[in-house]
Amino acid sequence: MRQAVQALQVKYQDRFLKSTSISLGVAIFPDHGVTAAEVIAAADAALYRAKKAGRDRVEIASLNSPAAAAS
């Protein structure tokens, strides 16, 4: 998904914009939480780690997060 976004050619006001990048946080039910709120919180924490680590990357939720520990 990250590479597909980077490959997009976006045109705005007759000009192509520079490549776009995204960062993603990934969490999996039930590994990272047993409720939707826990899984979303784990994915959100992973997203912030991706941004802090330099952006344009994918981070997987930690198995030792509070949400994962509760499951």
Side-chain angles (χ1 to χ4, degrees), residues 8-44:
L8 289 174
Q9 293 186 347
V10 180
K11 192 173 186 180
Y12 178 71
Q13 294 184 348
D14 296 326
R15 294 180 138 184
F16 284 101
L17 303 178
K18 294 181 181 181
S19 67
T20 302
S21 68
I22 62 171
S23 294
L24 301 167
V26 178
I28 301 167
F29 172 85
D31 297 349
H32 299 113
V34 295
T35 67
E38 289 173 346
V39 175
I40 291 169
D44 191 49

Side-chain angles (χ1 to χ4, degrees), residues 23-25 41-55 59:
S23 294
L24 301 167
D44 191 49
L47 172 61
Y48 280 98
R49 279 199 323 276
K51 289 181 175 184
K52 187 176 181 180
R55 301 179 181 248
E59 288 285 334

